[in-house]
Amino acid sequence: MYSKLHRPKKNGLGMSDNSSSCVKLAHYLNKESGSGKYFFSQYQDCVSLTEVIQKIDNNKKTLKNNQDKFYMLSYNPSQREISHLIREVTGKDNVLALSSLTDKEVEMVIAEFKNYVRDCMDIYAKNFNRDKNLSSEDLVWFGRVETERHHTYLDEEVKDGVKSRGDLKEGLQLHAHVVVSRMDVTQTMSLSPLAKSMGNVNILNGKAVKNGFSMKGWQVGCFQHFSNKYGYIATTDERFYYYHSSYSSYKNRIQNKIIREV
C-alpha cells in the first residue's frame, strides 16, 4: 500500500496549481472516474462535484493568495493487496480483474476500500504535530475511488512501443484520490503535509503554535493498517520499502538482487 502526496506540476493534468481554486482538479477527478459517480467523505458516500468545489474553496480563512489551499493525496494498493481485499470481501480467490466480479461484488469491494481510506485520513490527521489530537473529523476532505489506470509516456511499455499512451493498464488497478483542505474544519488551524519539521513551535498572532507533519508516519501507518485490518501478510520487499529505505534505495536493492540472480 503506497500512500502519496502529489505535488503540483506545471502544465500538469488535474493539479498544476493548488494556491487558487480546486475546480480544475475536481473536474479532472470527476472525468477520470466517469460520470454518474460521486465523491465520498468521512460520513457521506454521495457528494456532488459542486459541493466538493464549494466546500474546499470556501475553507481558506486566513490563508494568503499565494499559499496552498488544498492538497491531493492518493492511496495505491498493489495488485496483490487488491486481490487480498477482494478475497476478504467476496470470498473469491485469485481474482485478476474486477470484470470477473458481479456488479454487486464490485460495489462491496469499493465500499470496503472507502472505509479503509477513511481510516487512512484519520492516520493522516494524527501525524500533524499539534497540541490537539487531530482526527479525520477535523479535516475537510473528499475522495474518489478509481478502478482503472492508463499508460503514460513515462511507462516503459510506452517507451518501447508495446503500449500507446492512454491505453488501459491490465490487472487490478483499484486506487483512490483525496482532495483535502489545508485549513481544518474550524478554519483556525493550517495543516500542511509539506511542513516536515516535527516538534517546531512558531509564534502566530502572539501565541506559540506547534507545526510539522510526519510523512513517514502517515505512509507507514497506512501500510500497517491495511495488514492489521485485513490480515494481509506483506512481502519482504514491501516491508523493506516502508521501514528501511527511500524509493531510490529500494529500487537499487531490487536491481542488485536481479543482477545477483542473473
Side-chain angles (χ1 to χ4, degrees):
M1 175 63 65
Y2 180 50
S3 306
K4 181 179 180 181
L5 166 67
H6 295 260
R7 308 290 181 93
K9 295 180 180 180
K10 188 176 181 181
N11 299 321
L13 289 174
M15 189 175 65
S16 57
D17 177 26
N18 60 349
S19 62
S20 54
S21 173
C22 72
V23 62
K24 182 179 179 181
L25 175 59
H27 275 281
Y28 172 72
L29 294 180
N30 193 57
K31 179 182 178 182
E32 282 291 289
S33 299
S35 60
K37 297 183 181 179
Y38 295 90
F39 289 83
F40 68 99
S41 63
Q42 188 65 31
Y43 297 112
Q44 295 177 282
D45 277 323
C46 299
V47 183
S48 70
L49 172 66
T50 301
E51 183 176 351
V52 169
I53 296 171
Q54 288 177 344
K55 290 287 181 65
I56 295 293
D57 283 357
N58 291 329
N59 199 68
K60 58 182 181 180
K61 188 177 179 180
T62 74
L63 292 177
K64 298 178 180 178
N65 289 337
N66 63 344
Q67 288 185 301
D68 295 342
K69 306 300 188 302
F70 60 90
Y71 301 98
M72 184 172 79
L73 316 175
S74 68
Y75 295 98
N76 310 277
S78 67
Q79 296 206 28
R80 184 171 178 265
E81 287 170 322
I82 300 170
S83 179
H84 181 87
L85 179 64
I86 291 172
R87 182 168 59 250
E88 290 293 302
V89 173
T90 70
K92 289 189 174 181
D93 231 338
N94 301 317
V95 174
L96 301 179
L98 289 180
S99 58
S100 64
L101 300 176
T102 65
D103 290 344
K104 180 63 176 178
E105 287 170 336
V106 172
E107 289 178 8
M108 291 166 58
V109 172
I110 290 177
E112 184 54 43
F113 187 52
K114 285 180 180 179
N115 289 334
Y116 169 76
V117 171
R118 289 174 172 124
D119 293 345
C120 286
M121 291 309 294
D122 207 40
I123 296 170
Y124 173 82
K126 292 181 186 305
N127 274 282
F128 283 97
N129 177 44
R130 296 294 186 272
D131 292 319
K132 174 186 176 182
N133 291 323
L134 299 176
S135 72
S136 57
E137 295 184 358
D138 295 298
L139 307 174
V140 177
W141 69 271
F142 300 95
R144 197 72 190 257
V145 173
E146 299 180 14
T147 58
E148 297 176 344
R149 279 192 173 94
H150 297 81
H151 284 285
T152 71
Y153 69 93
L154 297 174
D155 294 329
E156 293 300 323
E157 296 94 327
V158 175
K159 293 178 181 178
D160 295 338
V162 178
K163 296 289 184 180
S164 298
R165 184 177 179 180
D167 286 351
L168 285 176
K169 290 189 175 183
E170 298 176 351
L172 298 167
Q173 301 294 341
L174 185 71
H175 62 290
H177 287 286
V178 167
V179 185
V180 57
S181 175
R182 177 174 182 163
M183 298 300 291
D184 76 322
V185 69
T186 67
Q187 299 193 66
T188 60
M189 194 181 306
S190 175
L191 303 171
S192 170
L194 299 176
K196 300 178 181 179
S197 302
M198 293 293 288
N200 281 4
V201 176
N202 289 342
I203 303 301
L204 182 64
N205 298 326
K207 295 176 61 178
V209 179
K210 288 185 178 181
N211 61 18
F213 176 75
S214 175
M215 184 70 69
K216 185 174 182 179
W218 167 54
Q219 293 177 320
V220 171
C222 294
F223 172 78
Q224 290 177 328
H225 184 62
F226 189 90
S227 296
N228 295 336
K229 187 177 180 72
Y230 302 114
Y232 177 74
I233 301 176
T235 65
T236 300
D237 288 332
E238 286 171 330
R239 291 193 296 271
F240 180 88
Y241 176 86
Y242 280 98
Y243 292 107
H244 303 292
S245 178
S246 64
Y247 175 73
S248 58
S249 296
Y250 167 77
K251 186 176 179 181
N252 290 337
R253 179 173 179 266
I254 299 302
Q255 288 175 339
N256 291 335
K257 180 180 178 181
I258 293 172
I259 291 171
R260 287 196 303 272
E261 289 178 354
V262 172

